[in-house]
Amino acid sequence: MLYDLFIEIIGSIKRNKLRSAATGFAVTSGIFLLIVLLGAGNGVIHTLENNVGTLALDAVYVYPGFTSSAYQGYSKEQRVQINESDGELAQKVAPDNIKNYTAQFSTSVTARTEDEKKLSTNLAGVGPIFHEMMGLQVVKGRFLNEIDMKENRRVAILSETMVERLYSKNANVIGHYLTIDGSMYQIVGILKDNNSEYTQEILVPQTTLRLIYNRNKEADIIVMKTKGLEQSPAFEAFEAIYRKAMALKHNFSPDDTQAIYVDGGSSQAEMMDTAFGLIRSSFWFLGILTLLSGVTGVSNIMLISVKERTHEFGIRKALGAKPWQIILMVILESVLITTIFGYIGMLLGIVFCQWMDASVGGSTMDIGVESIQYFQDPTVGLDICIEATIIMIVAGAIAGFFPARKAAHIKPIEALQAR
């Protein structure tokens, strides 16, 4: 029965080639634009994901701020000075949540190679466990160690990005010397790029930076490796306890949220997921609106088809056809037209996305001393193709339902008299 019905639908489509083609063009263009929009949306999302770096979801960062209110004899707008002992304080108040900690000291510098190539960049003084805490991978040489710290050694760690800017891509610079603000540093390690901010900096022992630049124990950032704080409720509970302990130690109000800033990788990830979700939803919304115009065209064409075939439906009902059989035939014809031409649009959209990826995907743009890649991998995956297929089938069924309902209510006598 279904085979016979399918043959009848194919025959109807063949008899009305121009009408079917006009209907199909609207569907093809709608699905094509939907796929292209979703591919472009993926390009934007992949660009943001790669250029913000790999988030350490188990890391918590503490930044100094300024008091926003007077407290216990201290005036407002006093700078809070944090130091490495504040990491130890976190371990005391939340021993089950803090694995280890380290301090980071930073300053702007000018680096110069042996062949006098200069680069203005940032110098970060860190500890030996920093690369493990931040997920930094050493691809050549070694990272900083305790002896470097104890002896205030002038050794430096570069990323692959920094090597390319200062020397050349894949240059073997281990053992070479780099002049930073007049001081000679030996390069002892190369980090793999992970698009984090640390691939744009030169890393040195924190004790060396503090000695050369006459920095006291005041740190720019305290980084803590945590456990059990990946979800917002747990992180918020820890922040409340830690902020209260820091307020007591540094003499600021526990309610002063501007005195220190406590930021967790989980909160950053949640904000990014929300932003990416909004981007995806926006592109889906625009694509479906475009597709709806094609579906409306299908529905209108099917209404015309039903009117033209009024006499045929009358004969069918006179011969005993049930209303549901008429409805099924019209809906299946609508679904078939929508699906066939929809897949043509999907194929064209996938080809266009591949062309975008080959022509402009992953292009590099220079922004000052840095460069970023943009529009990375603007393509669609199998999941989107499956979702688009479901949308096409549902859209075709909806487009054909109302014309089919009208066809099912045609009275045989009136239909046989129709011309």
Side-chain angles (χ1 to χ4, degrees):
M1 176 182 173
L2 285 177
Y3 176 77
D4 294 335
L5 185 58
F6 179 77
I7 295 299
E8 287 185 23
I9 292 172
I10 295 296
S12 174
I13 293 174
K14 287 182 177 179
R15 288 193 301 271
N16 301 278
K17 295 184 179 66
L18 183 60
R19 184 188 69 200
S20 299
T23 305
F25 177 77
V27 175
T28 297
S29 60
I31 290 291
F32 171 79
L33 290 174
L34 173 62
I35 296 297
V36 170
L37 283 170
L38 293 177
N42 283 337
V44 173
I45 290 171
H46 295 155
T47 298
L48 293 174
E49 287 177 337
N50 290 331
N51 286 315
V52 298
T54 305
L55 289 177
L57 299 183
D58 57 353
V60 169
Y61 310 86
V62 182
Y63 304 88
F66 291 87
T67 58
S68 60
S69 61
Y71 184 74
Q72 293 186 349
Y74 290 89
S75 62
K76 72 175 191 176
E77 298 185 358
Q78 294 292 314
R79 179 173 175 80
V80 176
Q81 298 183 352
I82 63 174
N83 55 62
E84 199 158 14
S85 65
D86 293 325
E88 183 181 356
L89 176 64
Q91 280 190 324
K92 289 181 179 179
V93 299
D96 295 331
N97 298 122
I98 307 300
K99 294 180 181 178
N100 48 44
Y101 59 89
T102 187
Q104 178 182 333
F105 304 80
S106 302
T107 187
S108 298
V109 297
T110 299
R112 189 175 73 250
T113 63
E114 294 164 338
D115 59 358
E116 299 300 319
K117 185 175 181 180
K118 294 182 180 180
L119 178 66
S120 295
T121 184
N122 196 53
L123 191 68
V126 299
I129 62 174
F130 187 79
H131 70 302
E132 296 178 358
M133 295 178 64
M134 303 310 299
L136 303 176
Q137 181 182 350
V138 178
V139 292
K140 291 181 182 179
R142 64 174 179 84
F143 198 70
L144 307 174
N145 57 40
E146 293 293 344
I147 298 177
D148 296 329
M149 297 280 287
K150 185 177 180 179
E151 297 182 358
N152 301 323
R153 287 180 175 177
R154 299 187 184 187
V155 292
I157 308 293
L158 305 183
S159 68
E160 292 173 325
T161 296
M162 296 301 293
V163 170
E164 184 174 354
R165 289 177 187 162
L166 286 165
Y167 298 93
S168 62
K169 191 173 183 179
N170 299 322
N172 184 12
V173 297
I174 299 297
H176 286 223
Y177 284 86
L178 188 64
T179 302
I180 302 176
D181 284 353
S183 298
M184 298 287 289
Y185 290 78
Q186 186 178 32
I187 302 171
V188 297
I190 306 298
L191 297 176
K192 182 178 179 61
D193 286 337
N194 67 351
N195 294 302
S196 71
E197 62 182 286
Y198 302 108
T199 62
Q200 315 298 334
E201 299 178 327
I202 299 174
L203 307 185
V204 299
Q206 59 176 241
T207 53
T208 304
L209 185 147
R210 288 170 53 194
L211 177 65
I212 292 177
Y213 292 92
N214 195 27
R215 293 282 298 270
N216 55 24
K217 293 185 178 182
E218 181 185 356
D220 295 299
I221 307 173
I222 302 296
V223 184
M224 297 180 286
K225 197 75 166 179
T226 67
K227 57 182 177 180
L229 300 182
E230 291 78 13
Q231 301 299 321
S232 292
F235 173 75
E236 290 170 0
F238 162 77
E239 181 182 3
I241 296 172
Y242 182 63
R243 186 176 292 278
K244 184 177 180 180
M246 286 287 284
L248 182 63
K249 178 181 177 182
H250 292 281
N251 296 306
F252 63 83
S253 171
D255 300 323
D256 192 344
T257 57
Q258 297 182 33
I260 60 168
Y261 299 93
V262 184
D263 191 15
S266 59
S267 62
Q268 296 177 28
E270 288 176 358
M271 287 189 292
M272 287 181 60
D273 287 342
T274 301
F276 294 160
L278 288 173
I279 293 174
R280 288 191 181 95
S281 299
S282 299
F283 280 103
W284 267 107
F285 179 72
L286 292 174
I288 289 176
L289 281 182
T290 305
L291 182 60
L292 282 177
S293 63
V295 172
T296 302
V298 173
S299 185
N300 290 334
I301 293 296
M302 294 307 298
L303 281 171
I304 296 173
S305 174
V306 167
K307 186 175 181 180
E308 291 176 350
R309 298 168 65 186
T310 299
H311 193 71
E312 174 193 335
F313 292 145
I315 293 174
R316 288 178 180 274
K317 295 190 75 172
L319 293 175
K322 304 295 182 182
W324 68 266
Q325 291 175 314
I326 303 295
I327 291 175
L328 181 62
M329 183 174 64
V330 175
I331 289 179
L332 286 180
E333 181 176 345
S334 175
V335 169
L336 189 62
I337 292 174
T338 304
T339 303
I340 291 173
F341 287 97
Y343 271 115
I344 294 174
M346 182 187 297
L347 179 61
L348 292 175
I350 292 172
V351 171
F352 188 82
C353 287
Q354 293 294 335
W355 174 81
M356 284 195 300
D357 188 29
S359 58
V360 297
S363 299
T364 302
M365 178 175 61
D366 291 328
I367 50 172
V369 297
E370 300 181 11
S371 61
I372 61 171
Q373 286 187 321
Y374 62 92
F375 213 50
Q376 297 181 27
D377 191 21
T379 57
V380 295
L382 179 62
D383 55 336
I384 289 180
C385 293
I386 294 174
E387 291 168 359
T389 300
I390 295 173
I391 289 174
M392 285 189 295
I393 294 173
V394 173
I398 294 174
F401 174 75
F402 295 102
R405 190 166 175 267
K406 182 177 181 180
H409 285 81
I410 295 175
K411 295 180 180 180
I413 296 177
E414 295 176 358
L416 291 172
Q417 292 176 347
R419 294 291 185 268

